[in-house]
């Protein structure tokens, strides 16, 4: 059975910001768009670029977050389906801890 609390945990974090997610029914796990999480945390005008820089920094630091990053097809703003980086709930929370943002502070505590 899927734990809907996992979905609510991520989607309720960002006060109205859209966080695209996909359910893998076989694994009973949600996967969240990394760029959406970055956008909600940082309010960056270029969240994809922010993620690219952060991903490189995390790799250099030996963080496993990027190891668990997968790509799944998601609807993007231009109404097309494209591959996007995604993380499961556990790794999404680790990502949140890695981003310097006041919005991430409650999770770091």
């Amino acid at each position: 059975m899927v734990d809907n609390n996992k979905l609510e945990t991520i989607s309720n974090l960002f006060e109205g910001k859209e966080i695209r997610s996909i359910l893998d029914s076989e694994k009973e796990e949600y996967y969240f768009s990394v760029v959406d999480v970055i956008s909600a945390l940082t309010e960056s005008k270029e969240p994809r670029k922010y993620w690219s820089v952060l991903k490189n920094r995390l790799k250099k630091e030996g963080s496993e977050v990027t190891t668990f990053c997968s790509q799944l097809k998601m609807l993007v703003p231009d109404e097309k389906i494209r591959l996007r980086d995604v993380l499961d709930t556990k790794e999404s929370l680790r990502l949140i801890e890695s981003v310097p943002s006041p919005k991430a502070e409650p999770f770091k505590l």
Side-chain angles (χ1 to χ4, degrees):
M1 170 148 276
V2 175
D3 182 358
N4 286 327
N5 289 330
K6 289 180 182 179
L7 180 59
E8 291 173 13
T9 298
I10 298 293
S11 60
N12 290 338
L13 287 176
F14 302 113
E15 304 166 356
K17 293 279 190 171
E18 180 186 6
I19 308 295
R20 290 172 289 175
S21 62
I22 293 177
L23 172 63
D24 180 334
S25 55
E26 283 185 25
K27 294 180 182 178
E28 296 186 341
E29 181 66 74
Y30 281 97
Y31 292 85
F32 299 92
S33 165
V34 174
V35 171
D36 290 353
V37 172
I38 295 292
S39 177
L41 282 174
T42 66
E43 297 183 12
S44 170
K45 294 185 190 296
E46 297 183 44
R48 288 180 63 210
K49 186 173 184 177
Y50 189 105
W51 169 232
S52 178
V53 171
L54 179 61
K55 187 173 12 178
N56 288 329
R57 189 191 81 197
L58 291 172
K59 284 179 186 176
K60 287 179 185 174
E61 292 174 358
S63 171
E64 293 185 0
V65 171
T66 57
T67 304
F68 295 108
C69 189
S70 302
Q71 287 200 325
L72 295 175
K73 291 182 179 182
M74 297 186 127
L75 186 64
V76 295
D78 66 3
E79 300 297 320
K80 295 182 180 175
I81 303 291
R82 299 187 193 273
L83 286 173
R84 290 292 175 241
D85 286 348
V86 296
L87 291 168
D88 66 15
T89 304
K90 179 180 173 184
E91 297 306 321
S92 292
L93 292 172
R94 284 188 181 168
L95 172 67
I96 291 167
E97 292 174 341
S98 301
V99 175
S101 166
K103 293 180 182 182
E105 288 307 312
F107 298 94
K108 293 178 183 179
L109 298 174

